[in-house]
Amino acid sequence: MNRPVTPPVRTPSTFQQRFDELITSNPMMIEVTRFKRKFLSVSSNNTVNIAVLMLFGVVYLAILALVFSANGYLQPSILVNLQLVLVCFLVPSMFHGTIAGERERRSWDLLLVAPISKAQIVVGKFFAAVATLFVAIGACALPISIAAAMYAGRNPDIARFNPVGVVLAQQVMVFAFGVALAAFTILFSARVRRGLTALGVVFGLETLFLVVVPIFVGLMVAGSNGPDNVLMDFTFFLHPFYTLDKMQPKWQSSYEQVQTFSPWMWGTPQILIYLGMAVVFLQWAIATLYYAENDVKFIPDKKKVDA
Amino acid sequence: MLEVKNLRKEYGPLTAVKGISFSLKPGDIFGFIGSNGAGKTTTIRMISTLLEPTSGTAVLNGADIIANPMDVRRMIGYMPDFFGLYDDVKVWEYLDFFAAIYRVPSGQRHDIITNVLELTDLTVKKDAFVQSLSRGMQQRLCLARCLVHDPALLLLDEPASGLDPRARADLKELIAELGRMGKIVIVSSHILPELADFCNCVGIIERGELLAFGTVDDVVRGIQPTRELEIRVLADAPNAARAVSAMNGVHEVRSTGEDTVRVEFSGTLEGQADIIDKLVRDGYRVVGLREQQADLEDVFLRLTTGAVN
Ligand SMILES: Nc1ncnc2c1ncn2[C@@H]1O[C@H](COP(=O)(O)OP(=O)(O)O)[C@@H](O)[C@H]1O
Ligand SMILES: [Mg+2]
């Protein structure tokens, strides 16, 4: 018996399709342009924007001046920490309105009636956030590299505590944390009606998890065992500032050799986990939007129902 | 072809739309009239797939709003009662963005956007930032946005609100043009005169119920089957009144003074001509005749009690 030979049908892999839908041919990628305009352009007739940009320019110049005036005695890691502080404040303030803002501005309906999936909307907005973040981190990288170079030039011995590789890895870590924070902010922006609510919630949770809980746990744990105990490492495994510190080479207690931490313990896992968290947050945001398609169902309007 | 079948929406104990049904064909411009809170927006949002009906459905060219919302979305253009446009984009980019979302092939976008800008009279503003447009222009831009994918159904929720008379007139002209292009257009309003003259089909909604639906004439006739004929004669009106009182279609005849006969009439135009004919043949000197038909405004006031949910 002759079996008819069916020619193999080449169907594009579903991954490829998904990738096209979400990235390469996602019309929501116009958000990237919009964000660029919003945050990085002086030509738009937005005086607030120009004021904020100028403020940033001043701060940026101040940091550069600081780096140069320190004349090589400024540890780049201080700047990286500063960069992380900036990320903690800037990411929520820039992205809290991504979805809630559209609800407030009432442009959201126009997107929802269009034949575009929730995933496309969220991914488009997320990439706009990431692109902006990338530019911001890139801008910070300049003074940090200058500081690192000057530092190394001043004192090659001390420079062992800030090897270029570590400084770079720290930046990647900060970026990954920023990405997760952006996804987190977008998630809350998707879940509430007002942008300011999202901002408040994200700042609140940040304060709770990055400040209040660490102080509390630190007090409990440190008193008993000294700073370098395992419980502490475990508790703060995902704390970005703690991680930055751990990535940094340190003096041994003998003050003779440099103690380095394995990048497989501090750095790599955090970066991967942050990126993974970003994916989870985005997925969650998409699910939330599906639920919130009809915002009435999402947050019943008490006043109207009672009327 | 749009078929709305028993559409119903409940918000907790409140039923905003109580099972509305109607159907429209291409070229129909449907005026959806009702006071504030009557349920217009809720109905329109359900048809536009934004709001899930509690029960009932609507089918547009074979696509069901519940079973195939994505197919429906490709075929509709929805202009909400309140809407916002984006900041930081130019008119052209804004339209291009929506053309992309609606998967208009990129080779055709340029021409389509040019046409749509032309139609909505925004060509000169194509490089302006949308936030710099006036209210009327933003309204037109929102409409332009609804048109880039050549939708079969347009849902315009109170499109004329907040516009000055000039802009209103332009908008009406534009909507009439869309009807001529063979689209189904649903226009809602709480202001009657706004709709009466260019809709070929109206529906009156109150407290979630569709009280009347049909062509303007049908609706008016359905509510008030008779029209009043005011006949002026040179003299002898009371006798003239008696002369026509038994004729076909005549319900009631009154005379005022010596020169006016008022006839409540529900017959055909043929019958109307017969009345005049009879008066003339009987020797009455007819000077003129005026028809007074209830208009939509009367119908609306007659039908609705002004109560809202
Ligand atoms: N989200 C909601 N929750 C509860 N009730 C609502 C909601 N939206 C509308 N309603 C009620 O439904 C009724 C119809 O409202 P709507 O469709 O907006 O009327 P219209 O557009 O004709 O002015 C009103 O009584 C309104 O209060
Ligand atoms: Mg309304």
Side-chain angles (χ1 to χ4, degrees), chain A residues 33 43 131 163 189 218 245 288 301:
Chain A
T33 317
S43 65
S189 193
D245 183 55
T288 300
D301 203 321

Side-chain angles (χ1 to χ4, degrees), chain A residues 8-9 35 62 139 152:
Chain A
V9 187
F35 264 78

Side-chain angles (χ1 to χ4, degrees), chain A residues 21 25-31 33-34 37-38 43-46 49 102 105-118 120 125 293-297 304-305 307, chain B residues 9 11-14 45 48-52 70 73-74 76 78-90 93-94 97-98 100-103 129 131-132 142 145 309:
Chain A
E21 181 200 332
S25 58
N26 182 354
M28 281 306 289
M29 287 295 169
I30 193 188
E31 290 282 313
T33 317
R34 274 188 56 220
R37 283 238 174 85
K38 192 161 170 191
S43 65
S44 79
N45 43 1
N46 185 345
N49 194 20
E102 292 229 17
R105 212 183 310 122
R106 311 221 45 160
S107 52
W108 188 233
D109 286 353
L110 302 181
L111 273 188
L112 287 187
V113 288
I116 181 170
S117 68
K118 310 282 179 288
Q120 282 177 310
K125 289 185 173 290
E293 175 160 25
N294 153 12
D295 63 344
V296 175
K297 199 179 351 176
K304 275 187 176 164
V305 174
Chain B
K9 180 72 194 179
Y11 291 119
L14 180 138
R45 284 175 70 86
S48 68
T49 75
L50 276 177
L51 203 60
E52 198 181 329
M70 277 296 179
R73 284 175 197 173
R74 266 184 267 279
I76 58 173
Y78 166 58
M79 182 163 152
D81 44 358
F82 298 104
F83 63 89
L85 305 165
Y86 292 112
D87 295 343
D88 308 305
V89 281
K90 294 174 178 167
E93 289 168 338
Y94 184 73
F97 169 55
F98 276 97
I101 289 188
Y102 283 95
R103 306 228 172 262
F129 278 99
Q131 68 263 37
S132 71
C142 191
R145 177 200 65 86
N309 277 317

Side-chain angles (χ1 to χ4, degrees), chain A residues 53-72:
Chain A
L53 271 179
M54 274 166 64
L55 186 71
F56 270 104
V58 170
V59 171
Y60 192 68
L61 289 179
I63 292 177
L64 275 180
L66 182 76
V67 168
F68 282 112
S69 67
N71 202 10

Side-chain angles (χ1 to χ4, degrees), chain B residues 34-42 44-45 81-82 157-158 188-190:
Chain B
S35 354
N36 287 321
K40 305 180 294 292
T41 299
T42 308
I44 288 178
R45 284 175 70 86
D81 44 358
F82 298 104
D157 199 356
E158 314 250 357
S188 85
S189 177
H190 61 280

